[in-house]
């Protein structure tokens, strides 16, 4: 993966998730009128990835946060975030991790979305709020055969983001083949095939305004 020049958003919690192609991510964020709120995060880890993650005989090791203790440790580095619930289950093809998190304000949410501070931005101007996220800076390059394998493994997985806002808003999002966008209302969402995000030559960006 080191030869694939892709730049993805996400914090110490989520950054490993999007660097692994065999994963689907669903994030449902609710923002209250006082800018506190909750995040329900679900990701599906392919058993292919689990097999690749085996190391030193530890068959349960995964290169992403997969246990409650992992989240608790990570949240200690994110002031204003708290773990409300955690569950892990398995089916024939995936391991499914679901967590519910609380945040005290938008600064806490932005730190959770982007610990690096340059790909998730919240701006409040007069009576208007705007949250911008960059999922990928685009580009590409590197080993072509490795890219084909890497992106092919992502087929069938999606990135789904929903923002529930306290007043009617709009969503502007990069249009990708096979993707869908709900552009207006109090529930603004975007679903993108993971393979298309990973292979996009152009930046993949979302901007919510309410």
């Amino acid at each position: 993966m080191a030869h694939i020049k892709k730049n993805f958003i996400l914090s110490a919690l989520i950054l490993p998730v999007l660097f692994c192609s065999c994963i689907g991510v669903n994030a449902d964020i609710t923002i209250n009128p006082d800018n506190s709120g909750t995040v329900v995060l679900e990701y599906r880890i392919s058993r292919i990835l689990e097999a690749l993650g085996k190391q030193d005989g530890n068959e349960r090791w995964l290169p992403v946060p997969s246990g409650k203790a992992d989240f608790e440790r990570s949240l200690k580095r994110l002031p204003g975030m708290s773990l409300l619930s955690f569950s892990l289950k398995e089916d024939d093809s995936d391991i499914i991790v679901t967590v519910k998190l609380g945040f005290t304000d938008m600064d806490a949410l932005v730190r959770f979305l982007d610990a690096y501070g340059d790909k998730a931005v919240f701006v409040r101007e007069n009576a208007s709020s705007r949250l911008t996220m960059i999922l990928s800076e685009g580009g590409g390059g590197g080993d072509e055969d490795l890219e084909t394998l890497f992106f092919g493994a992502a087929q069938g997985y999606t990135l789904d983001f929903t923002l529930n806002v306290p007043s009617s808003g709009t969503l502007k999002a990069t249009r990708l083949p096979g993707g869908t966008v709900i552009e207006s209302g109090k529930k603004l969402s975007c679903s993108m095939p993971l393979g298309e995000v990973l292979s996009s030559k152009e930046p993949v960006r979302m901007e919510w305004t309410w």
Side-chain angles (χ1 to χ4, degrees):
M1 295 183 188
H3 298 289
I4 300 176
K5 299 176 182 178
K6 292 290 176 182
N7 297 298
F8 299 102
I9 188 176
L10 298 193
S11 69
L13 276 181
I14 312 180
L15 182 60
V17 174
L18 287 189
F19 271 117
C20 298
S21 64
C22 305
I23 280 183
V25 180
N26 186 322
D28 193 313
I29 302 171
T30 297
I31 299 174
N32 300 321
D34 65 355
N35 282 341
S36 67
T38 58
V39 179
V40 177
L41 175 67
E42 177 187 282
Y43 56 89
R44 304 178 68 92
I45 307 167
S46 169
R47 290 191 177 278
I48 296 173
L49 177 61
E50 181 192 24
L52 292 174
K54 292 178 181 178
Q55 180 173 305
D56 297 330
N58 182 1
E59 296 187 352
R60 299 302 301 169
W61 184 87
L62 289 168
V64 294
S66 59
K68 185 177 181 179
D70 297 331
F71 282 91
E72 291 174 336
R73 283 193 296 268
S74 297
L75 290 175
K76 289 179 179 179
R77 301 191 296 271
L78 295 171
M81 297 294 301
S82 59
L83 179 63
L84 302 179
S85 65
F86 172 89
S87 70
L88 184 150
K89 60 183 179 180
E90 303 180 20
D91 60 24
D92 292 340
S93 58
D94 297 313
I95 296 171
I96 305 160
V97 177
T98 305
V99 295
K100 184 174 182 179
L101 308 168
F103 57 90
T104 57
D105 52 39
M106 292 299 294
D107 287 342
L109 176 62
V110 169
R111 284 192 297 267
F112 170 72
L113 294 172
D114 176 23
Y116 300 106
D118 60 349
K119 294 182 177 64
V121 178
F122 174 72
V123 177
R124 177 75 176 174
E125 294 178 343
N126 299 320
S128 178
S129 297
R130 182 174 71 252
L131 176 64
T132 303
M133 294 174 58
I134 299 174
L135 289 178
S136 170
E137 293 180 345
D143 188 301
E144 184 174 344
D145 291 336
L146 182 60
E147 284 197 353
T148 299
L149 176 64
F150 185 70
F151 301 136
Q155 299 305 309
Y157 292 88
T158 61
L159 299 178
D160 301 315
F161 285 86
T162 298
L163 198 67
N164 302 283
V165 292
S167 59
S168 185
T170 59
L171 168 59
K172 296 179 181 178
T174 301
R175 299 286 181 168
L176 295 175
T180 60
V181 178
I182 297 178
E183 299 177 323
S184 62
K186 289 188 176 182
K187 183 174 183 177
L188 307 167
S189 64
C190 185
S191 178
M192 301 179 182
L194 180 56
E196 295 293 341
V197 175
L198 295 173
S199 61
S200 177
K201 301 301 181 183
E202 301 299 325
V204 179
R205 184 175 182 270
M206 296 181 292
E207 180 182 282
W208 292 271
T209 304
W210 68 95

